[in-house]
Amino acid sequence: MRLVIVGAGAFGKTVKDVAAQSNKYDSIIFLDDAATEAAGKVKDFKNFIDDDTEFLVAFGNNELRYNTLEAISTAGGKVG
């Protein structure tokens, strides 16, 4: 299973650490509009939707987090 963390800031890095310790995911990647270690931009999430991928949104801004979760869920992505 792959985990896509949307947001590569401090919150996203904490989410990655916890997810890695769970041993549930074979790979963990970030989507972020500014981070160099990201696999793509936030708007690219549709390119990562498949049966073997879960998404976690790690933004501190509640409204942005909610809207991004809604967009991913509406597009058929699994939200963890």
Side-chain angles (χ1 to χ4, degrees):
M1 172 93 35
R2 172 177 62 179
L3 176 63
V4 176
I5 301 171
V6 184
F11 184 23
K13 287 177 177 60
T14 300
V15 169
K16 181 181 180 183
D17 287 343
V18 172
Q21 291 174 31
S22 76
N23 293 318
K24 179 179 178 180
Y25 302 102
D26 299 318
S27 70
I28 300 173
I29 63 171
F30 288 108
L31 295 181
D32 192 284
D33 291 347
T36 58
E37 72 268 23
K41 305 266 187 214
V42 173
K43 67 179 176 69
D44 298 331
F45 72 85
K46 290 180 183 177
N47 299 330
F48 295 88
I49 294 174
D50 62 34
D51 291 337
D52 198 42
T53 300
E54 290 182 353
F55 292 84
L56 288 173
V57 179
F59 297 141
N61 179 299
N62 291 336
E63 184 176 353
L64 182 57
R65 185 172 59 247
Y66 175 80
N67 290 338
T68 305
L69 283 168
E70 279 291 306
I72 292 169
S73 181
T74 299
K78 294 181 209 171
V79 177

